[in-house]
Amino acid sequence: MVVSVPMDAERAWKDLQRIRVPQERVYDEVERSAFGDPGATYATAAIMWVFLAALGLDLPRWGVWLALAGYVVLLAGVAVIHNRRSRVRLHRTRYDWRTSAAFLGGMVVTGGTVLLSGRLVEALPWGPMAASAIQATVSASVFVLFAVPANRWAVGSLRGRGEAAVRAGEGR
């Protein structure tokens, strides 16, 4: 059974705009967050630098575990603070394959840099503290150089997905 309801084109257009304008504001806020607030990235890099430099102190096993626990707690704190400062709460479906690819790529690049720079500084004639500081500096720098563009790339896809969904809905 098909029910026919008279449709006013002007009213339908206003309804569509009433929906679309807040959606555009959400995309603007997400892009502003990705492009304008690298504070969490720099805080993460600073915490990583301190952790990697501390590993060069030749800590006992319990000291390494304590440093690792502190590292994880500080990273979690940065994530919580950054999430609370964001005015937009995105549903998990807003994260697409680009977000996952950026996260996994960041893990591979940063982890590979930590391991590779650790191997390279072992060959240096300096003491473990200098080698550890070099390794921490290289690793944190690579993290920042990768994370900022990768985040922009991952977030840049959200606006296009929303417009594609609206266009797909128009064909019905």
Side-chain angles (χ1 to χ4, degrees):
M1 177 172 157
V2 176
V3 178
S4 175
V5 177
M7 178 64 84
D8 180 16
E10 186 173 331
R11 181 183 169 121
W13 178 254
K14 287 179 182 178
D15 288 344
L16 179 63
Q17 293 308 310
R18 194 176 61 228
I19 294 168
R20 188 175 277 173
V21 168
Q23 181 184 22
E24 289 297 316
R25 288 186 185 145
V26 168
Y27 292 141
D28 291 342
E29 179 63 24
V30 169
E31 288 174 352
R32 184 203 58 78
S33 174
F35 288 98
D37 187 23
T41 302
Y42 293 136
T44 303
I47 293 168
M48 178 193 309
W49 190 93
V50 169
F51 173 71
L52 291 173
L55 289 182
L57 295 174
D58 199 24
L59 299 171
R61 184 175 299 267
W62 64 268
V64 172
W65 285 107
L66 185 63
L68 182 61
Y71 179 62
V72 170
V73 166
L74 287 174
L75 287 180
V78 167
V80 167
I81 290 169
H82 181 69
N83 189 31
R84 286 186 182 163
R85 282 183 28 211
S86 176
R87 293 184 290 174
V88 175
R89 302 276 184 237
L90 289 179
H91 190 269
R92 63 178 172 76
T93 58
R94 293 285 185 205
Y95 296 103
D96 61 354
W97 68 271
R98 284 186 175 197
T99 307
S100 300
F103 183 74
L104 291 174
M107 283 185 358
V108 169
V109 168
T110 304
T113 303
V114 169
L115 294 175
L116 182 62
S117 63
R119 297 272 184 198
L120 292 176
V121 297
E122 284 177 358
L124 294 176
W126 304 316
M129 275 306 293
S132 172
I134 291 170
Q135 178 188 16
T137 303
V138 168
S139 299
S141 299
V142 167
F143 172 77
V144 169
L145 291 174
F146 179 85
V148 173
N151 190 28
R152 289 180 182 170
W153 173 74
V155 170
S157 68
L158 291 177
R159 184 180 295 270
R161 278 184 50 199
E163 291 170 357
V166 169
R167 281 193 301 272
E170 290 174 355
R172 292 181 184 179

